Amino acid sequence: MNFVISTVSLCLICVLVVLTVAVAVACFKRKNAMARSLGVSGIACCVAVVSYFFAMRSSSEICLSIGTTFYLISVDVALVCFLSFVLLFSKFSDDPWKVGFVRVAIFYVCFETMVYFVNIFYPIAIDFPVGGAAAHGPFDRVTVLYWAHVVFRYALIVAILVVLFRQSLRIPKQFGRQYIVATSVLAVILAVNIYGDGFGNGLFDYSIVAYCIMVLFMFWYAYKYSVPEMLNAFKTNIFDNIEQAIVLFDYSGRMVLRNERALQMFSNIKLDENLDQAAFVKACNITFDLETGTDVFSFQCNVKPESVTIPLRCNFRRMRDRFDKVLGTLFVFSDAVLETDNLTSFQDWESFKLFATNNKHAFTYPMMAVVCDINNLSVINSVRGHNAGDRIMRDFAKSMKENFPQGTYFVRGLEAELIALSYGMNPLQVSDCIDNIRANFDVKFLYAIEEATEWTPDIMAAIESARHGLRQKKLLDKDTMHSEMLASLVKSLQKCDSDMEARVRRTQKMCESLGRRIGLTDRQQSDLSLLCLLYDVGKIAIPMEILNKPGKLTDREWKVMQGHVEKGFQIAKSSKDLAGVADLIRHHHERWDGKGYPDGLSRESIPLLSRVICVVDSFDAMVNDRPYRKGMSADSAMTELMRCAGSQFDPFLVSEFLPICQMFVPAKREDGAGHDVPLSGDLASQGGRDREVKIGHVHGLCYSRYAVDSELKIVEVDDNFEKLTGYSREDVAQQKLSLNELIPQEDITEFLCLATGSIANRQEVCCEHRITCKDGGMIYVFCYGWTIYGADLNAKRTELVITNSSDSYAMKAFAREEKEKSGAQLRRWEESFRRDSLTDLLNHAAFRNDVEQKLLEKGVRTMFLMLDLDKFKEYNDSFGHHAGDELLVSVANALRHALRGTDLPCRMGGDEFAAALFFEKGHDTVFMTMRAQQIFDRILSAMMSGEHPVSLSMGVAIADDELCSFNKLYEAADKALYVSKENGRGKMSVYSDSAHA
């Protein structure tokens, strides 16, 4: 029976040793001082257990001596390392007393090591019996050195317990529990070891394994239990003491959790497990349906815990699992009393700005920002008193709350601004809300809107953009106080153009209609309306005789006229209110083909609103009388727009403007206006022309010969001297002109040094230098000169011949070469506006413009393809975004190779691609559909043959009388693509087929 018990015990002890070794290895992997200390202690414990049992079972005196030596030394090492671990675990490692104690302990362990190794050969501490422990017990005699070891061991044990107990007293209760539990358990384990000490109390003692148990417990408690327990206590403490009220409902609408702040904030509501979500929402005065909203958003509400209404802000979140099933709903309420404007009950601007900046996730996109401003509220406050102004603000805020959808977030902005943030609204719905407010509110006000989307999720930027649009509207509104600068500019423009007011009104109406068709934002519409007023503001600096000249302008006059865009740019840039349209004014005479002015921009690099005003103003100029010609008929003007689309005008804007042109044709006049007057060149300019200056290879040079005396005074000039410098003979004589005045001061010393050195060596000088002309301008000249002497002169003088170097063939050729280089660089820069940065295909805007230009051509039939990768998001999630980008590039290459050189490939965005194919009118639909199928098969084959095969779907639309514009073709092809997706993906559908589906 004893044999069985011993065998089972031995097996259990072996398992314990193996576990201790595994824990030690795990500690070493953590690679920090605390874990290493515990790991070394564990290894030492295992050595102690093995050595002890080896010694107790030996029948040899030498084996007993060696086993006992290793056992005693291992126990010392284990306890010293364990003490070091406890000091680090209890954050006492920087205490100098504790560090000193550990160093003394290490020194004593080293001393005992030497003592017990000597004891193997000479018994100075322990005398072992002959025949080993198995025959006569462990020891025959012990000395003071052994008892010193026992005292040292128990001193370490007491030190460990004191450190843990002291740490449990000095830290907060919430975190002291882990040290109290550790102290208690270790005290029990070590007490068992002390009570059953095998040396002197029996031949065999299993309590030695308490050392291993001590290491295992501390590893589990320090790394597997105490940290999670501490974090749970910390989280619970935070949850109960946080300033926000937190209420959680489960999937069935039953309340499962609430904190102490919720009990305080909703003292009028019984927050127990019987409360359901519907009753809670009703008690909180939340009037909109949470089920119809998105999963994450913020809203405002009011509660009445007693007799006072308290405004709250609530962050609502609907939690789902990975299968999209609802797990529960979370309400986090913040007390907004101090953040609420007392007059309107809207949130205060400064607190909202801080909240929006720090909690960008609180808003669900798309979010519409509507900024409203009451006209001249400061005047009302001054004339009728602040009480009247406050009443108007209060009524306006009330009207906004009543007319905007439930769940709208309201903010009191700066000065008289009131801001509404509403999820899921479109501009038309906002317009309906504003109309309802105006019907019930007598005072006039203006508003502007801007949308924050998932791609531009900055609500503060959206509000600032809406504010910009509102400022532009206030500048143009007759019922608001105009800026003084704008008023003076308008008066100056009216003097230059008597038809200015009517022209501005016409262009604003046309731009508003065109802007709606092409989807301009509210801010862009505001900028465009102001641009209609100011795009020709630079003409106030142009002489009246040039502006109103009935005939064609001369080259000099035309150059002066072209300067109005730069002057207009400078005027607008000088005003903070007008700076936003300065660049638009500068570029409104650029041409689509790059032949415009002042910078020669082309295509999409020209600002969009500048392209819009170019088309609209050109049409208005053609159909209305100008000082230099009569207006033409609307049909002729439309024909001219079509002819110039793709050269002077953006073809997309022309295609969108043509359907609405007839709405803005002026009424037929009695004098028969409406003649078909052919125009050429730049339609938007007055008398424009395209001129190419040819540089000849042989031409004469204008040169001048003059002389200077030894004092550098000019003593003689010829007739051409005045042509080059502006100084006549009379000027030279009267002013006693010298080289010091003719050559710039910063160049004169260098010139004289060069001239003196050349004359000294070769009696002649040849160089290039600058000359200051009479008008203050500067020219570069080639100079050739020599010094002459004569008895009749009584002195030496230097004769110089100069010619303007800028008029030479070499300089003109050099200038032309530099212009070509800069032009090529400009074209490369402009091309970057047209290309997708990842795939190098056309981007959406460039593709749309090029397709519209082709659609305006006769004799061409267009086929539109829409391609979309199937399950691209899953591909990204599986292989990473880098692999996703590589896939997009491979699709782009396959699409490019499948098309002809005349076809247009495009990346529409994300994983969507498009292509436009152009055929002669004679090709029928069957042939074009077969061509689309070939392209689809070729691209699909390339995608399926890769390392990670993917499929794609395609939709096809072919232009006809109905599908005659880019937008219509795009919508048709997109519908066909949707049919392909519905039919299982990896397929091609043609719009005509999908229409019958």
Side-chain angles (χ1 to χ4, degrees):
M1 185 66 180
N2 291 334
F3 173 77
V4 174
I5 295 174
S6 299
T7 304
V8 172
S9 300
L10 183 60
C11 292
L12 293 176
I13 291 171
C14 291
V15 171
L16 187 63
V17 170
V18 171
L19 288 176
T20 306
V21 172
V23 165
V25 172
C27 289
F28 290 134
K29 288 182 178 180
R30 291 182 177 270
K31 297 181 180 179
N32 59 69
M34 187 174 79
R36 282 195 296 268
S37 298
L38 186 60
V40 173
S41 179
I43 295 297
C45 287
C46 293
V47 173
V49 171
V50 173
S51 301
Y52 177 79
F53 286 110
F54 172 77
M56 292 301 99
R57 282 187 163 80
S58 65
S59 58
S60 168
E61 179 183 356
I62 189 65
C63 292
L64 175 62
S65 176
I66 294 172
T68 302
T69 297
F70 276 96
Y71 160 71
L72 295 175
I73 294 173
S74 299
V75 168
D76 287 349
V77 172
L79 289 175
V80 170
C81 290
F82 195 76
L83 175 61
S84 176
F85 163 78
V86 169
L87 288 173
L88 292 169
F89 179 66
S90 303
K91 310 297 187 298
F92 280 119
S93 57
D94 296 330
D95 191 327
W97 290 98
K98 310 299 187 299
V99 175
F101 183 82
V102 172
R103 288 177 178 174
V104 171
I106 294 173
F107 174 79
Y108 186 78
V109 169
C110 294
F111 169 74
E112 279 204 342
T113 301
M114 292 186 294
V115 168
Y116 286 109
F117 271 105
V118 170
N119 192 83
I120 296 174
F121 307 100
Y122 185 79
I124 60 176
I126 304 172
D127 192 10
F128 300 101
V130 179
H136 303 286
F139 311 136
D140 273 353
R141 180 179 61 87
V142 295
T143 69
V144 68
L145 292 175
Y146 171 75
W147 292 114
H149 161 77
V150 174
V151 171
F152 174 68
R153 179 170 45 163
Y154 291 134
L156 290 177
I157 292 171
V158 171
I160 292 169
L161 295 175
V162 168
V163 169
L164 289 173
F165 184 71
R166 183 182 175 188
Q167 179 69 356
S168 67
L169 296 178
R170 61 182 286 222
I171 64 175
K173 282 185 178 180
Q174 288 84 351
F175 306 111
R177 181 186 172 192
Q178 61 174 334
Y179 296 100
I180 295 174
V181 173
T183 304
S184 303
V185 174
L186 288 180
V188 171
I189 292 174
L190 296 174
V192 171
N193 179 263
I194 295 171
Y195 177 76
D197 196 339
F199 290 100
N201 292 297
L203 183 62
F204 191 76
D205 184 8
Y206 293 101
S207 64
I208 191 66
V209 299
Y211 290 116
C212 290
I213 296 175
M214 177 183 68
V215 171
L216 293 175
F217 169 77
M218 283 307 297
F219 175 80
W220 174 77
Y221 196 80
Y223 294 109
K224 302 299 182 181
Y225 175 74
S226 65
V227 173
E229 181 192 33
M230 180 183 66
L231 290 178
N232 287 334
F234 189 66
K235 291 176 182 177
T236 302
N237 189 55
I238 292 176
F239 181 75
D240 286 333
N241 292 279
I242 197 170
E243 292 185 0
Q244 286 81 17
I246 301 175
V247 182
L248 176 65
F249 294 88
D250 65 10
Y251 64 93
S252 64
R254 183 175 58 88
M255 195 191 74
V256 294
L257 193 66
R258 84 281 183 280
N259 64 351
E260 291 296 326
R261 181 58 178 155
L263 293 174
Q264 298 170 9
M265 189 175 290
F266 302 106
S267 58
N268 61 323
I269 305 173
K270 189 177 182 181
L271 298 177
D272 57 21
E273 60 183 13
N274 297 320
L275 180 68
D276 63 6
Q277 181 174 313
F280 176 74
V281 167
K282 184 178 180 181
C284 292
N285 296 315
I286 301 174
T287 56
F288 56 95
D289 187 4
L290 297 174
E291 298 300 327
T292 60
T294 57
D295 286 352
V296 182
F297 62 96
S298 296
F299 59 86
Q300 296 161 317
C301 62
N302 297 282
V303 296
K304 293 183 179 180
E306 295 176 357
S307 59
V308 181
T309 300
I310 300 177
L312 301 177
R313 178 178 61 240
C314 178
N315 295 330
F316 173 83
R317 177 181 293 272
R318 185 178 291 106
M319 297 173 292
R320 299 178 182 273
D321 62 10
R322 61 191 183 94
F323 301 108
D324 206 37
K325 292 184 178 180
V326 176
L327 297 176
T329 52
L330 179 67
F331 295 81
V332 180
F333 294 90
S334 301
D335 189 346
V337 172
L338 299 178
E339 302 176 355
T340 302
D341 175 59
N342 294 328
L343 182 62
T344 61
S345 297
F346 288 5
Q347 184 171 359
D348 173 74
W349 171 249
E350 291 300 326
S351 64
F352 170 77
K353 184 166 64 173
L354 182 64
F355 169 71
T357 303
N358 297 332
N359 300 275
K360 295 182 179 180
H361 63 280
F363 299 97
T364 301
Y365 303 101
M367 175 75 72
M368 187 68 71
V370 185
V371 181
C372 303
D373 191 285
I374 299 173
N375 289 1
N376 303 325
L377 185 64
S378 59
V379 176
I380 295 174
N381 285 332
S382 301
V383 175
R384 298 167 54 187
H386 284 278
N387 288 335
D390 291 348
R391 179 175 51 80
I392 291 173
M393 283 289 291
R394 191 162 42 247
D395 292 344
F396 187 44
K398 181 181 179 182
S399 184
M400 287 182 67
K401 286 184 177 180
E402 292 173 349
N403 289 282
F404 274 92
Q406 295 176 346
T408 299
Y409 201 100
F410 295 101
V411 182
R412 168 73 186 271
L414 300 175
E415 298 178 353
E417 289 180 351
L418 295 179
I419 302 169
L421 305 175
S422 190
Y423 164 75
M425 292 189 74
N426 57 47
L428 185 60
Q429 291 171 323
V430 173
S431 180
D432 292 338
C433 292
I434 295 296
D435 290 340
N436 293 334
I437 294 174
R438 283 185 173 141
N440 301 310
F441 189 70
D442 297 333
V443 181
K444 293 184 178 180
F445 65 92
L446 295 174
Y447 77 98
I449 62 175
E450 186 66 38
E451 188 176 29
T453 65
E454 294 178 358
W455 297 275
T456 55
D458 191 339
I459 196 67
M460 294 301 297
I463 293 174
E464 188 55 41
S465 180
R467 279 178 170 165
H468 173 86
L470 187 60
R471 287 194 295 269
Q472 306 295 62
K473 290 181 178 180
K474 292 174 72 174
L475 281 173
L476 295 169
D477 190 80
K478 295 180 179 180
D479 296 322
T480 59
M481 299 175 65
H482 289 260
S483 71
E484 294 181 2
M485 181 177 183
L486 183 61
S488 63
L489 288 177
V490 171
K491 289 181 180 178
S492 300
L493 276 171
Q494 287 174 334
K495 293 179 181 178
C496 298
D497 183 4
S498 58
D499 189 44
M500 177 258 186
E501 186 175 354
R503 177 176 56 80
V504 169
R505 192 163 52 249
R506 294 192 302 266
T507 53
Q508 284 180 337
K509 288 182 179 179
M510 287 188 282
C511 285
E512 183 181 358
S513 297
L514 179 56
R516 283 198 301 268
R517 284 184 64 89
I518 63 176
L520 294 184
T521 65
D522 188 64
R523 173 175 176 171
Q524 288 175 316
Q525 288 279 31
S526 301
D527 285 341
L528 186 56
S529 186
L530 184 61
L531 181 63
C532 291
L533 179 64
L534 297 175
Y535 68 93
D536 273 342
V537 68
K539 289 184 178 179
I540 62 177
I542 305 299
M544 295 296 293
E545 60 270 19
I546 295 179
L547 283 176
N548 297 323
K549 182 177 180 180
K552 202 169 187 178
L553 300 179
T554 64
D555 289 344
R556 187 189 67 80
E557 292 170 338
W558 175 237
K559 190 172 182 179
V560 173
M561 175 64 79
Q562 284 182 324
H564 83 278
V565 294
E566 181 63 33
K567 290 180 172 65
F569 170 78
Q570 296 296 340
I571 291 171
K573 204 71 175 176
S574 65
S575 169
K576 180 181 178 181
D577 293 332
L578 310 180
V581 296
D583 285 328
L584 305 178
I585 293 172
R586 177 183 178 88
H587 297 300
H588 79 276
H589 276 303
E590 303 285 4
R591 289 170 54 102
W592 186 253
D593 56 11
K595 296 180 180 179
Y597 62 90
D599 298 324
L601 301 183
S602 69
R603 296 178 178 257
E604 289 79 10
S605 62
I606 307 170
L608 174 60
L609 301 188
S610 297
R611 287 180 263 153
V612 171
I613 199 67
C614 180
V615 172
V616 171
D617 182 56
S618 296
F619 178 78
D620 184 73
M622 286 188 284
V623 298
N624 290 281
D625 291 344
R626 289 293 171 99
Y628 51 89
R629 57 163 178 78
K630 292 288 185 180
M632 64 170 61
S633 66
D635 290 340
S636 298
M638 293 167 66
T639 302
E640 191 71 12
L641 286 179
M642 293 179 63
R643 187 182 69 82
C644 295
S647 57
Q648 181 179 342
F649 306 120
D650 182 336
F652 169 70
L653 295 180
V654 171
S655 66
E656 293 296 320
F657 184 60
L658 289 176
I660 61 175
C661 281
Q662 293 291 349
M663 298 166 53
F664 305 103
V665 177
K668 194 80 171 179
R669 295 186 296 273
E670 294 180 359
D671 59 0
H675 304 290
D676 292 341
V677 182
L679 297 180
S680 62
D682 188 349
L683 299 175
S685 63
Q686 300 177 359
R689 78 272 342 261
D690 297 325
R691 300 179 69 249
E692 182 180 354
V693 180
K694 296 182 182 287
I695 301 177
H697 292 263
V698 179
H699 56 89
L701 289 176
C702 177
Y703 66 92
S704 172
R705 181 172 179 172
Y706 69 100
V708 297
D709 61 15
S710 59
E711 297 179 351
L712 302 181
K713 297 290 184 182
I714 299 177
V715 295
E716 182 182 342
V717 297
D718 61 7
D719 293 335
N720 285 336
F721 190 78
E722 182 177 4
K723 292 182 180 179
L724 290 177
T725 67
Y727 292 105
S728 64
R729 284 190 174 93
E730 292 75 14
D731 295 328
V732 172
Q734 292 174 4
Q735 300 179 21
K736 297 181 180 180
L737 195 67
S738 71
L739 275 182
N740 289 324
E741 299 170 81
L742 192 64
I743 298 178
Q745 289 298 312
E746 60 268 25
D747 298 347
I748 186 66
T749 302
E750 185 179 1
F751 172 77
L752 292 177
C753 291
L754 178 63
T756 302
S758 299
I759 290 172
N761 293 322
R762 300 193 302 272
Q763 299 298 315
E764 61 184 18
V765 60
C766 186
C767 64
E768 182 182 21
H769 64 86
R770 296 187 299 172
I771 283 182
T772 305
C773 299
K774 183 179 179 180
D775 60 3
M778 200 83 69
I779 63 171
Y780 278 87
V781 297
F782 289 130
C783 175
Y784 178 76
W786 58 91
T787 299
I788 61 174
Y789 299 87
D792 56 333
L793 298 174
N794 295 322
K796 70 174 183 179
R797 75 175 185 177
T798 302
E799 293 192 0
L800 300 170
V801 178
I802 57 173
T803 180
N804 192 338
S805 62
S806 62
D807 288 338
S808 68
Y809 168 77
M811 291 302 294
K812 289 181 179 179
F814 176 74
R816 180 175 61 179
E817 182 180 354
E818 288 301 311
K819 185 177 180 181
E820 290 174 352
K821 287 181 180 177
S822 62
Q825 185 177 2
L826 178 63
R827 298 287 89 80
R828 288 193 295 271
W829 175 72
E830 290 170 345
E831 190 66 16
S832 67
F833 282 86
R834 296 174 49 80
R835 296 287 173 181
D836 173 61
S837 58
L838 178 64
T839 63
D840 200 39
L841 299 181
L842 292 174
N843 58 34
H844 181 98
F847 178 67
R848 179 196 62 196
N849 292 327
D850 289 357
V851 172
E852 287 286 9
Q853 184 174 345
K854 279 289 192 179
L855 290 171
L856 292 172
E857 297 178 7
K858 295 183 178 180
V860 176
R861 195 173 184 197
T862 304
M863 180 169 65
F864 198 103
L865 311 180
M866 279 290 296
L867 301 93
D868 183 81
L869 286 171
D870 297 329
K871 299 182 179 180
F872 180 68
K873 184 179 182 303
E874 295 180 9
Y875 187 93
N876 262 343
D877 295 340
S878 301
F879 306 108
H881 288 278
H882 180 71
D885 290 345
E886 291 182 346
L887 176 62
L888 294 176
V889 172
S890 64
V891 173
N893 291 334
L895 177 61
R896 188 185 291 110
H897 294 152
L899 301 178
R900 301 165 299 178
T902 56
D903 300 330
L904 298 175
C906 162
R907 184 187 177 193
M908 299 294 282
D911 60 337
E912 281 193 347
F913 294 83
L917 288 75
F918 307 102
F919 302 85
E920 295 180 358
K921 280 288 186 181
H923 289 90
D924 59 11
T925 302
V926 175
F927 173 80
M928 297 170 69
T929 304
M930 290 176 59
R931 172 65 180 144
Q933 186 66 52
Q934 292 173 354
I935 294 172
F936 175 73
D937 292 342
R938 183 171 178 178
I939 300 174
L940 183 62
S941 176
M943 295 302 98
M944 296 299 292
S945 61
E947 182 180 357
H948 305 292
V950 293
S951 65
L952 75 160
S953 302
M954 189 168 86
V956 181
I958 300 175
D960 53 25
D961 293 339
E962 291 293 329
L963 305 178
C964 56
S965 68
F966 176 88
N967 286 340
K968 291 181 178 178
L969 281 170
Y970 174 69
E971 291 174 3
D974 194 54
K975 288 179 181 178
L977 176 64
Y978 184 73
V979 171
S980 298
K981 293 280 189 181
E982 281 190 328
N983 291 337
R985 298 187 175 90
K987 294 179 172 56
M988 184 193 88
S989 302
V990 182
Y991 176 69
S992 57
D993 296 335
S994 62
H996 298 290

